[in-house]
Amino acid sequence: MTLPCLSVAPDGVYLQVVVQPRASKTAIAGLQGDELKVRLTSPPVEGAANKLCCAYFAKLCGVAKSNVSLISGDKNRHKRLLIEGVSVGEMERILGEYL
């Protein structure tokens, strides 16, 4: 299964996400088009949702928080993350448990 939200990066994977801030719990909500929909409990103020999004994927993938960085979408619901230290295959396996 090849997920449209994933692409190969030099040191890991790029992940396209669309976030829904102020949700009741932080969780993956499935695919929405070519992006992974993620519900976040934090509000979209002062970068709180961006921090939670990066921390959530770091925990999910079992990598350090410093290995997950926001590439684009700082002030937007549509974001692109770089997750270093995992392959596309590993990421598909991890996300497959939630989809």
Side-chain angles (χ1 to χ4, degrees):
M1 160 170 102
T2 304
L3 297 172
C5 57
L6 295 173
S7 57
V8 178
D11 300 334
V13 296
Y14 290 117
L15 177 64
Q16 294 284 126
V17 297
V18 58
V19 298
Q20 176 190 335
R22 290 192 177 105
S24 58
K25 69 176 192 170
T26 298
I28 292 173
L31 287 173
Q32 184 172 315
D34 288 348
E35 298 172 309
L36 185 69
K37 184 170 185 181
V38 182
R39 293 188 173 114
L40 301 172
T41 55
S42 62
V45 291
E46 297 175 9
N50 292 336
K51 284 185 191 137
L52 179 60
C53 188
C54 290
Y56 177 68
F57 280 105
K59 185 177 180 188
L60 200 70
C61 298
V63 298
K65 288 180 190 174
S66 60
N67 284 18
V68 181
S69 49
L70 183 67
I71 302 299
S72 64
D74 183 38
K75 305 254 187 252
N76 196 321
R77 289 173 46 117
H78 302 275
K79 303 183 183 300
R80 187 174 193 206
L81 302 175
L82 169 62
I83 304 172
E84 297 176 283
V86 293
S87 69
V88 171
E90 288 175 286
M91 201 62 198
E92 286 181 339
R93 182 186 55 75
I94 291 165
L95 293 177
E97 298 173 20
Y98 298 92
L99 297 175

